[in-house]
Amino acid sequence: MEIFKKYSFVFLVICSALSANAEVQRHKFVIEATNVKRLCKTHNAITVNGMFPGPTLEIKNGDTLEVLVVNKARYNVTIHWHGVRQMRTGWADGPEFVTQCPIRPGGSYTYRFTVQGQEGTLWWHAHSSWLRATVYGALIIRPRDGESYPFPKPKRETPILLGEWWDANPIDVVREATRTGAAPNVSDAYTINGQPGDLYKCSTKDTTIVPIDSGETNLLRVINAALNQPLFFKVANHKLTVVGADASYTKPFTTSVLMLGPGQTTDVLIRGDQQPSRYYMAARAYQSAQNAPFDNTTTTAILEYKSASCAAKKCNAATPVMPSLPAYNDTNTVTAFSQSFRSRQKVEVPTDIDESLFFTIGLGLNNCPPNFSKSRCQGPNGTRFTASMNNVSFVLPQNFSLLQAHQQGIPGVFTTDFPGTPPLKFDYTGNVSRSLFQPVPGTKLYKLKYGSRVQIVIQDTSIVTPENHPIHLHGYDFYIIAEGFGNFNPKTDTSKFNLVDPPMRNTVGVPVNGWAVIRFVADNPGVWLMHCHLDVHINWGLAMAFLVENGVGDLQSIQSPPPDLPIC
């Protein structure tokens, strides 16, 4: 008993020391329609506080956020805090009909959660229909007071939000695709901090300027907030040193190009070591799906040297230098980049796996239902597009959230029979029989015991087309212990596992026609969505959810739902 008292006292001392400098940060997000002019045309876009992109939230590791979201728009809305662990606070995670019912027009909800043990760049975005096309912003987590970055302190820090813009109402775009069963119209522009840049009509005067001075080292916090497109990012004549990703520090490595899937963040240091002038930073598509239409435009911002010598020489009137970006389908560059990531030091990767799972991911085609007119089946050969994991196309409930149904024991909302392995084994990346193109719709969850050690092999398939899929898991970070091409082979591919210093991420780019293996410990009770972060694929059903059971006692159990949780 004495030992127990001594240890609990030490635990309390440590906890009080950790929380000594922690603050509660309160914000108000008003979701409202705002006139936003891009590409010569004004749209009534949905924004937060009239800002596009939305406000950047800056907190410290250990702080608590309280964000009151007031919905003054005409659509349902929720906000997801992408990458935040949400330990025991699943009610604040945000995905519509998963952890909450939507905030209806005229309604409000306060998201309350503590960010603990995470530092770096995350972001927040709407998680309802396609609202995140314009409803998003950066979430920056700095070290606690008295602690520092594990790299030299940068002179300046600049969030770089890569976005995607439609010269239309994005909600109309997705609704039309849902009606026709075809792929949605591609975007008309990409943006950097909300601006398309010099290569688009009516955009030059508002191009984003990123300042730098000779000799200084700055931090760029790059976020891919695009709806449907992985993006290459490059700065002319400058090398980038990667120091973090998805709010985890990495072993530093230097590269001339980044590739981020939607949902991913990458922190890079950039040095002002070039001739003082103006240099374009540019982003354009990485397109791995063959023969699929995509937005092939290029967004730019300008890295501008602020030195006195530059002012004297008027070099800032010069046309900026343009970087040469990789080819749209340059998978080799993507592979070299993703395989450069390592954790800063040796990490404790879960071994003695309790749950060894194998998930296929990919697209599909549903035959036209007999009661549908031809106009509703405009996918390939008169079909409707769909998508699935392990041949289950995920269907969200409409009357309750999954977490609410679990917590209150409401029957008939979901089942817990999501298959842990593919119902049918086949040559996943070969020529797949047309009979396997039509998945089964369902609201199926996979149950995990608290504390279980989980490994998931995520296998891309060539059904319809192979593609690089950014797979995001809510409520967790995970280690990416390996990735490769072709069909995963448990006999030979386990030799590729990095169990020493694999990177920790919340979103993994599963290679086109390939696979990735992730591991995590199920230490956060609740219902957690796992899905492709290309929003077009979520709509089609490329998702599933884990139901992580409570452990023993309060600290291993999800908190009670807040009193203002929206009801359906």
Side-chain angles (χ1 to χ4, degrees), residues 329-540:
N329 63 351
D330 188 349
T331 293
N332 290 343
T333 291
V334 173
T335 305
F337 177 67
S338 68
Q339 293 186 347
S340 300
F341 283 86
R342 297 276 185 279
S343 283
R344 275 191 73 82
Q345 55 264 321
K346 191 175 188 306
V347 289
E348 299 231 351
V349 183
T351 51
D352 303 323
I353 298 300
D354 303 302
E355 295 273 3
S356 188
L357 307 175
F358 189 109
F359 291 176
T360 57
I361 57 171
L363 305 186
L365 298 173
N366 281 333
N367 295 331
C368 195
N371 57 331
F372 275 32
S373 66
K374 273 192 177 155
S375 67
R376 297 204 58 196
C377 298
Q378 293 183 38
N381 303 318
T383 58
R384 289 178 61 85
F385 273 108
T386 181
S388 67
M389 296 177 76
N390 274 355
N391 204 45
V392 180
S393 187
F394 195 68
V395 179
L396 285 169
Q398 293 299 308
N399 299 321
F400 301 98
S401 74
L402 295 170
L403 186 56
Q404 184 188 0
H406 164 57
Q407 183 85 354
Q408 297 174 6
I410 301 165
V413 179
F414 64 84
T415 56
T416 54
D417 56 348
F418 184 86
T421 54
L424 187 72
K425 290 187 171 50
F426 57 96
D427 178 5
Y428 307 116
T429 53
N431 280 334
V432 182
S433 159
R434 184 72 181 74
S435 63
L436 298 176
F437 277 41
Q438 189 156 315
V440 181
T443 310
K444 296 174 186 283
L445 276 54
Y446 191 92
K447 217 182 242 187
L448 292 172
K449 280 200 163 39
Y450 182 90
S452 57
R453 290 160 298 215
V454 185
Q455 172 178 295
I456 313 174
V457 176
I458 311 170
Q459 172 73 59
D460 186 29
T461 69
S462 55
I463 296 176
V464 184
T465 178
E467 187 166 1
N468 179 300
H469 294 275
I471 301 294
H472 172 49
L473 175 58
H474 288 232
Y476 286 89
D477 285 320
F478 48 74
Y479 291 113
I480 306 174
I481 61 169
E483 54 178 53
F485 291 98
N487 299 337
F488 177 77
N489 182 334
K491 290 192 177 66
T492 55
D493 287 332
T494 46
S495 66
K496 299 179 181 144
F497 286 5
N498 174 3
L499 303 177
V500 179
D501 60 353
M504 182 182 264
R505 303 292 300 249
N506 62 52
T507 305
V508 55
V510 177
V512 53
N513 243 331
W515 50 268
V517 184
I518 67 171
R519 286 187 182 178
F520 63 95
V521 177
D523 60 0
N524 192 9
V527 176
W528 304 107
L529 193 62
M530 184 174 183
H531 65 90
C532 180
H533 219 282
L534 307 177
D535 276 30
V536 53
H537 293 176
I538 309 178
N539 292 107
W540 290 341

Side-chain angles (χ1 to χ4, degrees), residues 238-242 251-258 269 337 340:
H238 289 72
K239 290 267 197 282
L240 304 169
T241 301
V242 175
K251 203 167 276 181
F253 69 93
T254 301
T255 177
S256 62
V257 64
L258 310 179
L269 296 174
F337 177 67
S340 300

Side-chain angles (χ1 to χ4, degrees), residues 141-423:
I141 311 159
R142 296 212 161 78
R144 301 173 197 278
D145 288 344
E147 296 184 6
S148 58
Y149 297 133
F151 46 83
K153 189 174 188 331
K155 186 80 194 293
R156 309 174 206 247
E157 300 185 10
T158 311
I160 303 287
L161 290 118
L162 308 177
E164 202 168 2
W165 180 263
W166 273 259
D167 201 11
N169 176 348
I171 305 296
D172 293 343
V173 174
V174 68
R175 283 180 176 172
E176 175 65 3
T178 303
R179 190 186 68 77
T180 64
N185 289 346
V186 299
S187 55
D188 296 285
Y190 300 111
T191 56
I192 296 178
N193 294 349
Q195 295 295 340
D198 292 356
L199 306 184
Y200 298 91
K201 60 185 180 185
C202 306
S203 301
T204 306
K205 72 178 194 320
D206 295 311
T207 296
T208 297
I209 305 285
V210 178
I212 195 166
D213 210 343
S214 293
E216 68 186 25
T217 299
N218 294 345
L219 179 66
L220 303 180
R221 300 175 177 273
V222 187
I223 300 166
N224 186 349
L227 216 67
N228 293 318
Q229 193 64 54
L231 293 166
F232 288 115
F233 175 83
K234 205 167 176 183
V235 183
N237 294 12
H238 289 72
K239 290 267 197 282
L240 304 169
T241 301
V242 175
V243 291
D246 292 2
S248 290
Y249 294 120
T250 64
K251 203 167 276 181
F253 69 93
T254 301
T255 177
S256 62
V257 64
L258 310 179
M259 198 292 287
L260 293 87
Q264 294 184 319
T265 73
T266 308
D267 288 355
V268 297
L269 296 174
I270 182 169
R271 267 185 68 76
D273 57 7
Q274 295 299 302
Q275 185 69 33
S277 187
R278 307 168 88 209
Y279 299 86
Y280 276 128
M281 41 179 69
R284 78 172 186 186
Y286 164 50
Q287 178 65 11
S288 58
Q290 291 183 342
N291 304 324
F294 69 101
D295 176 350
N296 64 359
T297 63
T298 304
T299 179
T300 55
I302 299 171
L303 183 74
E304 191 168 273
Y305 278 73
K306 291 297 182 194
S307 56
S309 63
C310 217
K313 285 190 235 156
K314 296 197 165 45
C315 56
N316 283 348
T319 303
V321 183
M322 190 72 186
S324 62
L325 285 149
Y328 296 114
N329 63 351
D330 188 349
T331 293
N332 290 343
T333 291
V334 173
T335 305
F337 177 67
S338 68
Q339 293 186 347
S340 300
F341 283 86
R342 297 276 185 279
S343 283
R344 275 191 73 82
Q345 55 264 321
K346 191 175 188 306
V347 289
E348 299 231 351
V349 183
T351 51
D352 303 323
I353 298 300
D354 303 302
E355 295 273 3
S356 188
L357 307 175
F358 189 109
F359 291 176
T360 57
I361 57 171
L363 305 186
L365 298 173
N366 281 333
N367 295 331
C368 195
N371 57 331
F372 275 32
S373 66
K374 273 192 177 155
S375 67
R376 297 204 58 196
C377 298
Q378 293 183 38
N381 303 318
T383 58
R384 289 178 61 85
F385 273 108
T386 181
S388 67
M389 296 177 76
N390 274 355
N391 204 45
V392 180
S393 187
F394 195 68
V395 179
L396 285 169
Q398 293 299 308
N399 299 321
F400 301 98
S401 74
L402 295 170
L403 186 56
Q404 184 188 0
H406 164 57
Q407 183 85 354
Q408 297 174 6
I410 301 165
V413 179
F414 64 84
T415 56
T416 54
D417 56 348
F418 184 86
T421 54

Side-chain angles (χ1 to χ4, degrees), residues 543-559:
M544 58 80 65
F546 288 107
L547 194 167
V548 181
E549 296 175 322
N550 284 336
V552 179
D554 281 355
L555 291 178
Q556 294 184 2
S557 302
I558 189 164
Q559 293 174 5

